[in-house]
């Protein structure tokens, strides 16, 4: 199988290496916009910035073709995987629009809104700029470093097209990386987007030393918020009890490899948002998508108090202590799980 991975960050590099290392020995090309970065990767066979200490397979190929030529690069591939940040997904899909092979992305979040529009999920962007693509998303609870090291991981391949789901399973399913197929791309993408926002809140909770009871309550009520938004956007409720919902939420909220969790921890320690993100050196998607999550929820009439508190915190309108007090001071309500209260 011939696979093109577009984006040489942590996740793109990890998945490219994982596909090469499979018994099927897929022919994988890792593309990067920065030719200088790619030259270093090729020479050292290590992505020292994003995956230090992980040796890349000798059979992994590299490309720094111009963005305008990516559709030609992908023309004879069996699968194209976009592993850029969310902000780059629209231009990448626009270039890839003529592709006749399956295209999938791994970025999670909502696109920043432009010209007064609401921010969109990946499948909504694809419907606008490349409606003819057979497309989908690869998501689920996964830290790139652990995948690159070959540690056991499970992911979800979501698409309305069976051919895309099958291509993703064939490309990445292995003894250490299980890939489950799912046709609910809306639910999978909502889970991947909202969990980043909730991870900031959980990092804040832990950074303030509020205890394990508080963490459990926050994750559980966060899952309810995620589900409410997903249902309003047309997702299936059961998706949020799976890998891309509860699974990804628990991992990102509690695992210290989570960049979004680290933002919450830093804010709890009194650092500014600029200081918290500068220390990371990587993108924390929850910082950028939190406002869009709340905007979409408001537009749909969906109540998301935890996400709203995160936005107020990021905007400097609340201190961490005020955010906690605001959430705990809400009026009591019944836990109606059948209605996702």
């Amino acid at each position: 199988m011939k696979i093109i991975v577009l984006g040489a960050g942590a996740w793109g590099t990890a998945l490219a290496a994982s596909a090469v290392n499979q018994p099927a020995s897929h022919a994988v090309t890792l593309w990067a916009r920065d030719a200088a970065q790619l030259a270093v990767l090729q020479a050292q066979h290590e992505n020292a910035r994003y995956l230090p200490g992980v040796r890349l397979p000798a059979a992994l190929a590299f490309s720094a073709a111009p963005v305008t030529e990516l559709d030609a690069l992908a023309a004879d591939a069996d699968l194209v995987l976009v592993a850029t940040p969310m902000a780059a997904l629209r231009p990448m899909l626009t270039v890839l629009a003529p592709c006749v092979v399956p295209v999938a992305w791994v970025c999670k979040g909502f696109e920043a809104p432009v010209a007064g529009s609401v921010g969109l999920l990946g499948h909504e962007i694809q419907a606008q700029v490349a409606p003819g693509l057979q497309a989908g998303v690869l998501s689920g609870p996964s830290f790139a470093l652990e995948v690159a090291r070959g540690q056991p991981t499970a992911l979800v391949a979501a698409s309305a097209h069976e051919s895309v789901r099958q291509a993703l399973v064939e490309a990445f399913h292995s003894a250490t990386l299980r890939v489950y197929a799912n046709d609910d791309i809306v639910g999978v993408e909502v889970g991947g987007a909202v969990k980043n926002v909730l991870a900031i809140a959980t990092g804040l909770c832990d950074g303030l030393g509020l205890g394990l009871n508080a963490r459990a309550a926050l994750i559980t009520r966060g899952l309810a918020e995620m589900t409410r938004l997903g249902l309003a956007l047309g997702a299936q409720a059961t998706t949020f009890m799976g890998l891309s919902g509860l699974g990804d939420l628990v991992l990102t909220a509690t695992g210290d490899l989570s960049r979004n969790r680290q933002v919450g921890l830093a804010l709890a320690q009194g650092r500014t948002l600029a200081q918290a993100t500068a220390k990371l050196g990587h993108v924390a998607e929850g910082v950028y998508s939190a406002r869009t999550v709340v905007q979409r929820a408001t537009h749909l009439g969906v109540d998301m108090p935890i996400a709203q508190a995160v936005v107020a915190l990021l905007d400097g309108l609340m201190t961490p202590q005020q955010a906690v007090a605001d959430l705990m001071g809400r009026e009591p309500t019944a836990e109606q799980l059948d209605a996702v209260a």
Side-chain angles (χ1 to χ4, degrees):
M1 189 175 187
K2 185 173 182 180
I3 303 166
I4 308 294
V5 178
L6 303 177
W11 200 209
T13 305
L15 286 171
S18 178
V20 172
N21 284 332
Q22 288 197 40
S25 300
H26 300 307
V28 183
T29 298
L30 180 62
W31 173 89
R33 187 187 302 269
D34 187 341
Q37 176 202 10
L38 206 67
V40 173
L41 290 180
Q42 195 164 12
Q44 299 180 353
H45 274 273
E46 178 187 2
N47 193 331
R49 178 180 179 184
Y50 294 110
L51 298 172
V54 176
R55 184 72 177 169
L56 300 180
L60 180 61
F62 301 91
S63 172
V67 173
T68 53
E69 298 178 9
L70 290 182
D71 58 330
L73 178 67
D76 61 341
D78 299 299
L79 173 67
V80 179
L81 190 73
V82 181
T84 63
M86 195 69 194
L89 183 60
R90 179 179 292 269
M92 296 298 285
L93 291 179
T94 300
V95 172
L96 294 170
C99 284
V100 296
V101 301
V103 174
W105 50 89
V106 294
C107 45
K108 300 174 180 178
F110 284 86
E111 181 184 46
V114 293
S117 67
V118 295
L120 302 179
L121 291 163
H123 74 278
E124 295 173 316
I125 298 170
Q126 180 255 318
Q128 281 191 353
V129 303
L133 279 182
Q134 293 188 40
V137 63
L138 185 65
S139 190
S142 50
F143 290 136
L145 183 59
E146 293 191 359
V147 171
R149 289 172 173 169
Q151 294 177 269
T153 304
L155 299 175
V156 178
S159 174
H161 302 279
E162 185 179 0
S163 59
V164 178
R165 300 193 297 267
Q166 288 179 340
L168 287 168
V169 171
E170 182 181 349
F172 298 108
H173 191 88
S174 68
T176 59
L177 187 60
R178 291 190 60 82
V179 182
Y180 293 85
N182 191 320
D183 63 1
D184 181 18
I185 190 170
V186 179
V188 168
E189 287 207 309
V190 169
V194 177
K195 59 93 181 182
N196 287 327
V197 182
L198 299 174
I200 295 175
T202 310
L204 179 73
C205 171
D206 290 348
L208 291 172
L210 300 183
L212 299 179
N213 294 346
R215 178 200 281 183
L218 189 60
I219 290 175
T220 307
R221 297 312 302 163
L223 180 62
E225 291 191 17
M226 175 192 293
T227 306
R228 281 199 296 266
L229 179 60
L231 293 178
L233 288 168
Q236 302 167 20
T238 52
T239 299
F240 300 102
M241 299 309 297
L243 289 167
S244 61
L246 178 60
D248 212 355
L249 173 57
V250 169
L251 178 77
T252 313
T254 65
D256 284 335
L257 287 175
S258 163
R259 298 186 294 272
N260 295 285
R261 172 177 166 79
Q262 289 299 326
V263 169
L265 289 169
L267 293 174
Q269 294 164 4
R271 294 192 178 95
T272 65
L273 179 59
Q275 291 170 334
T277 53
K279 183 181 178 182
L280 290 176
H282 298 250
V283 174
E285 290 284 7
V287 173
Y288 303 100
S289 64
R291 295 171 187 84
T292 309
V293 167
V294 171
Q295 182 188 55
R296 288 297 296 264
T298 301
H299 179 74
L300 294 165
V302 175
D303 187 29
M304 298 188 71
I306 298 174
Q308 290 167 351
V310 169
V311 171
L313 184 69
L314 295 177
D315 287 344
L317 302 178
M318 279 186 182
T319 65
Q321 292 77 10
Q322 287 170 333
V324 173
D326 187 67
L327 288 171
M328 292 302 294
R330 298 178 71 232
E331 288 297 317
T333 184
E335 187 184 32
Q336 298 171 324
L337 297 181
D338 57 335
V340 196

